[in-house]
Amino acid sequence: MHEVFKKIKKHRVIAVLEIDSLENVTPVCETLLSSGISVIELALRTEVAQKATEQIIKNFPQIIVGLGTVLNEDQVKFAIDSGVSFAVAPGCNPKIIDLAKKNNLLFSPGICSPTDIEISLDYGCNVLKFFPAENSGGIKYLNSINNPYKHLNLNYIPLGGINISNVKKYLDSNLILAVGGSWLAPKHLINSKKWKLISSNCEEINNLIL
Ligand code: 3PG
């Protein structure tokens, strides 16, 4: 397994961030770090997302930064140039996976079917983003689609609809590398600068992991 994925496996949790305003980058990162969360997926879904990524890479070397919602070639190029540790996408686009692979960008395609898994395998990906986890049928569904590929020891990062009330069943499964979600630092709490609430969300999950 790639060193970055080994580290993420130790952390077990990835906070998905959508940043609307650059002034929130430092406080949200400080809040996450001081509450024990040091892996993020920064979603390329806002105007300032790329600038926010650059700021985090420059100012928070302790954070393992992944880029999320990587949908086109320019975004793959940005991921490479910015120096993020890994990238993910909600879907399984062979063109994007191929480009990431050719440029040595650690990439986890989004899967929610055996077909997606087989496309990912074609490109040598073995840590896959399971999206949308809850609405696809959760850990039970993941167990079922992974069954034919059990011998390949694939690992998954479930995302989509995960929160403190349903996260345990994912963490208990040995298919899961780490869980992710926006529930730790949701956009509305970032925009309203509710750092204490974000911190208590992080503490809740850390208590569950301990
Ligand atoms: C993602 O980008 O990975 C998803 O938006 C995360 O899903 P969630 O917002 O339901 O946690």
Side-chain angles (χ1 to χ4, degrees):
M1 186 183 286
H2 193 284
E3 284 306 312
V4 169
F5 285 139
K6 280 188 191 160
K7 281 189 199 161
I8 296 175
K9 191 173 182 178
K10 282 193 186 135
H11 289 282
R12 309 237 65 199
V13 182
I14 303 172
V16 174
L17 300 183
E18 266 189 77
I19 304 281
D20 279 325
S21 167
L22 290 176
E23 68 175 17
N24 291 329
V25 168
T26 296
V28 77
C29 288
E30 283 173 349
T31 303
L32 292 174
L33 280 174
S34 66
S35 327
I37 299 292
S38 45
V39 189
I40 64 166
E41 174 200 317
L42 205 137
L44 286 180
R45 296 199 284 257
T46 65
E47 263 180 37
V48 301
Q50 295 199 349
K51 282 212 167 85
T53 306
E54 287 164 349
Q55 274 192 19
I56 299 171
I57 298 272
K58 183 167 166 239
N59 299 328
F60 293 92
Q62 321 89 302
I63 296 183
I64 300 173
V65 182
L67 209 57
T69 325
V70 175
L71 306 180
N72 60 45
E73 293 181 13
D74 284 347
Q75 290 169 333
V76 173
K77 192 174 175 312
F78 173 74
I80 296 155
D81 294 344
S82 63
V84 293
S85 296
F86 69 104
V88 302
C92 191
N93 179 342
K95 210 165 110 185
I96 297 300
I97 308 172
D98 188 42
L99 189 63
K101 188 182 165 156
K102 283 186 177 139
N103 287 284
N104 287 323
L105 171 67
L106 191 60
F107 194 77
S108 289
I111 65 94
C112 83
S113 71
T115 308
D116 296 338
I117 293 175
E118 290 186 23
I119 292 170
S120 306
L121 285 174
D122 249 357
Y123 292 91
C125 301
N126 50 22
V127 175
L128 311 174
K129 168 169 174 165
F130 170 39
F131 179 83
E134 274 296 285
N135 282 337
S136 305
I139 194 69
K140 219 171 147 191
Y141 173 75
L142 183 63
N143 274 318
S144 145
I145 57 168
N146 179 68
N147 229 8
Y149 314 104
K150 250 185 185 163
H151 59 295
L152 301 175
N153 296 319
L154 302 175
N155 280 117
Y156 298 88
I157 303 172
L159 288 123
I162 297 180
N163 56 49
I164 195 68
S165 63
N166 58 25
V167 70
K168 182 96 170 61
K169 56 185 190 247
Y170 292 99
L171 290 169
D172 286 345
S173 161
N174 58 14
L175 290 181
I176 302 303
L177 184 92
V179 295
S182 63
W183 97 94
L184 295 159
K187 195 170 158 159
H188 69 276
L189 290 188
I190 297 176
N191 287 339
S192 54
K193 305 186 193 306
K194 296 275 194 306
W195 314 124
K196 280 199 179 139
L197 283 177
I198 292 173
S199 180
S200 74
N201 288 342
C202 299
E203 278 155 22
E204 245 180 349
I205 183 76
N206 282 331
N207 290 337
L208 204 78
I209 292 170
L210 285 175

